[in-house]
Amino acid sequence: MFLIINILILLSVSSDLTNGQCTGLTDEQICCNNAAYAKETTVCCNNIPYQNYNATIFSCCGSYPYDQNSQTCCNNIPYSKASYLCCDNQIQYNTDPTSFGCCGSNQYNVNSQICCDNFPFPRASTLCCSDSPYPRSSFICCNNTIQYANPSANFDCCGSSKYNVNDQICCNNTAYPKQTHLCCESNEYQADPTSFSCCGASIYNISNETC
């Protein structure tokens, strides 16, 4: 069995009881299953008292105590962080949790893969678009929409659409021909960029005006 659980000694010694209730508790005590125990050396999980070396390190995972430094909790079962992962509430063996993570119910290598729609894909050739995988070599994702982009062209996103950055400008999420338009602080102007330039949100004639 893959569970890594510290076997702890169940305490059987209680202090004062009156009608099955803890009485006279101090700040250094806790009540567990109607009995008083030392707070620093006891963890109470589902009314079961457990003894441990340091109660500030241990916590409860369902009915079991676990060491928060070396273990974690999965579906109310403690397991070792160094050897296991919890994916979709299922404990899975893993020799290198620092390089692997969960992708849905699957494990994936976070260095060489990406997780899309709960499935791992090669990181070198794939990107995610709203949890949908697409090949990075010939597509682009704009506002969660996958669009074909010719690999030989220089495309980027302009709002929900693609545009060619060599021939166009993006202004207020709309693409315009670069040769005939200017964009000044999200304001679009139809003007010759060789004769006009931006002055704040407006344009000016560079030959006879100064900004």
Side-chain angles (χ1 to χ4, degrees):
M1 183 154 180
F2 53 74
L3 299 181
I4 308 298
I5 303 176
N6 289 338
I7 307 301
L8 304 175
I9 302 173
L10 180 64
L11 291 181
S12 60
V13 180
S14 62
S15 57
D16 297 338
L17 293 175
T18 301
N19 298 324
Q21 300 294 322
C22 297
T23 60
L25 287 178
T26 68
D27 292 340
E28 289 75 33
Q29 293 178 308
I30 61 170
C31 184
C32 187
N33 196 23
N34 296 326
Y37 298 92
K39 182 183 295 185
E40 291 186 357
T41 58
T42 308
V43 173
C44 183
C45 300
N46 283 348
N47 226 20
I48 303 173
Y50 291 91
Q51 179 176 293
N52 59 76
Y53 298 108
N54 189 339
T56 61
I57 296 176
F58 283 80
S59 187
C60 289
C61 179
S63 297
Y64 304 99
Y66 74 101
D67 185 335
Q68 297 178 88
N69 292 332
S70 62
Q71 298 176 301
T72 190
C73 186
C74 182
N75 200 22
N76 291 328
I77 300 174
Y79 68 95
S80 170
K81 295 179 182 179
S83 304
Y84 298 91
L85 286 174
C86 179
C87 300
D88 274 358
N89 288 325
Q90 298 294 322
I91 299 176
Q92 302 182 21
Y93 179 70
N94 191 305
T95 57
D96 187 11
T98 58
S99 296
F100 285 81
C102 291
C103 183
S105 59
N106 305 292
Q107 296 185 42
Y108 79 111
N109 190 312
V110 298
N111 299 315
S112 61
Q113 296 175 305
I114 60 171
C115 182
C116 288
D117 198 24
N118 292 327
F119 288 96
F121 294 89
R123 181 177 293 275
S125 58
T126 312
L127 291 173
C128 282
C129 186
S130 186
D131 285 337
S132 297
Y134 69 96
R136 65 166 70 224
S137 61
S138 54
F139 288 85
I140 192 171
C141 177
C142 299
N143 280 359
N144 298 325
T145 302
I146 300 173
Q147 302 183 37
Y148 174 74
N150 191 329
S152 62
N154 188 9
F155 283 99
D156 204 346
C157 291
C158 184
S160 298
S161 303
K162 63 182 180 182
Y163 79 108
N164 191 319
V165 298
N166 296 327
D167 304 323
Q168 297 174 302
I169 61 170
C170 180
C171 193
N172 201 22
N173 294 327
T174 303
Y176 299 94
K178 183 178 289 187
Q179 295 83 0
T180 57
H181 285 76
L182 287 172
C183 184
C184 303
E185 296 184 2
S186 297
N187 294 314
E188 175 264 331
Y189 297 94
Q190 186 170 351
D192 182 0
T194 61
S195 300
F196 291 85
S197 187
C198 289
C199 183
S202 303
I203 60 173
Y204 74 104
N205 192 317
I206 58 178
S207 62
N208 54 32
E209 295 179 306
T210 302
C211 179

